[in-house]
Amino acid sequence: MQTNPTYSSLVAVGDSFTEGMSDLLPDGSYRGWADLLAGRMAARTPGFRYANLAVRGKLIGQIVEEQVDVAAAMNADVITLVGGLNDTLRPKCDMGRVRGLLEEAVEKLAPTCRQLVLMRSPGRQGPVLERFRPRMEELFVCVEELAERHGAVVVDLYGAASLSDPRMWDVDRLHLTAEGHRRVAEAVWQRLGYDPEDTEWRTPMPATVPPGWITRRVTDARFARQHLLPWIGRRLTGRSSGDGLPAKRPELLPYEGPAA
């Protein structure tokens, strides 16, 4: 891949991971790895344009229906596509359908940009990952095959030990912290061919003394009450955290913001 390429535009497609949850800004909005990446790219290229179509909670079918054609019409230099993981976390998941929809998305997006970026998403250590690991890995095999077939690049976050550390994840155990998003931005930055700004993004955080039994139980109870039970409730009623929410940055406009 070209070293330190010049890209003039970026469109991000996906769900909460790409929207930027839980990298919270003082005004209550989310930043996230895609915004950080856009800031870096804009610092190198005057007039750089950026759109982020991601909406939390979206399944791959919704991403294809609501975001893919819009992104394709923008003819951006770089398009990032991360989707399907929400599907794998559903009790009933048709992986054949997920693979087919992901393939449809790639086939539509790849011809419209200079570089399509796909990802093997990160996974937090714990019982949830172990339960759904087979589905996730099936999804990632599909990602690799599609990338090879369509000239996309794959950012391997799943294989990065640093991002599996529970300390990189917010209290909801589903979304990365600000530091996690920073490391993802660095990973994508390097995969696009830019000189590294952090060569150690894969390096795990230093070990610390784990919390005691009582602290863990209190934390688990708080997590169940504030995050797990509402998540289960949405699944049972067919609702999504993103229902009614607009795209984060729906138009491909000049990026104005601090570079990361």
Side-chain angles (χ1 to χ4, degrees):
M1 175 171 290
Q2 179 184 356
T3 302
N4 288 322
T6 300
Y7 293 119
S8 64
S9 52
L10 167 68
V11 174
V13 173
D15 51 33
S16 60
F17 173 69
T18 302
E19 184 184 345
M21 297 173 72
S22 291
D23 185 7
L24 195 63
L25 293 171
D27 66 359
S29 63
Y30 292 110
R31 183 176 56 176
W33 66 265
D35 284 13
L36 292 168
L37 177 66
R40 288 190 184 186
M41 297 172 77
R44 286 179 174 264
T45 307
F48 182 85
R49 296 176 300 153
Y50 170 52
N52 189 324
L53 307 180
V55 177
R56 67 197 71 172
K58 294 300 182 182
L59 302 173
I60 186 61
Q62 295 170 308
I63 291 172
V64 170
E65 180 179 353
E66 300 168 12
Q67 300 179 31
V68 167
D69 287 341
V70 177
M74 291 178 175
N75 295 117
D77 282 352
V78 177
I79 298 177
T80 65
L81 167 64
V82 188
L85 205 61
N86 282 335
D87 297 78
T88 69
L89 300 178
R90 296 295 177 104
K92 296 181 179 180
C93 173
D94 182 348
M95 286 304 297
R97 181 173 182 272
V98 171
R99 293 194 306 271
L101 287 165
L102 187 60
E103 181 174 8
E104 179 183 345
V106 171
E107 288 178 345
K108 287 184 176 180
L109 293 174
T112 70
C113 62
R114 283 175 54 193
Q115 186 61 68
L116 178 63
V117 178
L118 307 177
M119 296 189 196
R120 286 162 47 93
S121 304
R124 182 185 187 276
Q125 292 176 0
V128 173
L129 175 62
E130 292 309 313
R131 179 180 179 184
F132 296 105
R133 186 187 295 274
R135 290 179 182 173
M136 292 173 62
E137 294 187 346
E138 182 178 347
L139 177 68
F140 298 155
V141 168
C142 179
V143 166
E144 295 279 4
E145 291 174 348
L146 289 171
E148 183 175 359
R149 195 183 314 158
H150 294 278
V153 297
V154 177
V155 181
D156 183 15
L157 306 173
Y158 183 67
S162 63
L163 293 176
S164 67
D165 188 324
R167 292 172 294 175
M168 287 286 181
W169 296 77
D170 193 42
V171 293
D172 66 1
R173 304 183 184 181
L174 285 173
H175 302 106
L176 291 170
T177 62
E179 173 61 15
H181 279 284
R182 185 197 68 78
R183 294 192 184 213
V184 172
E186 178 66 32
V188 183
W189 173 262
Q190 292 184 25
R191 195 66 183 88
L192 284 171
Y194 294 102
D195 289 338
E197 295 188 9
D198 176 12
T199 59
E200 303 296 324
W201 74 266
R202 289 179 173 272
T203 302
M205 297 172 65
T208 58
V209 177
W213 185 88
I214 293 178
T215 299
R216 295 199 306 272
R217 298 293 78 79
V218 170
T219 301
D220 288 345
R222 184 182 301 117
F223 159 72
R225 183 177 64 255
Q226 295 180 355
H227 301 286
L228 180 60
L229 292 178
W231 183 84
I232 293 173
R234 291 194 297 272
R235 300 290 81 73
L236 293 176
T237 57
R239 294 178 292 115
S240 167
S241 58
D243 288 348
L245 294 181
K248 178 177 183 177
R249 188 182 172 97
E251 297 181 75
L252 188 59
L253 297 173
Y255 179 80
E256 295 181 0

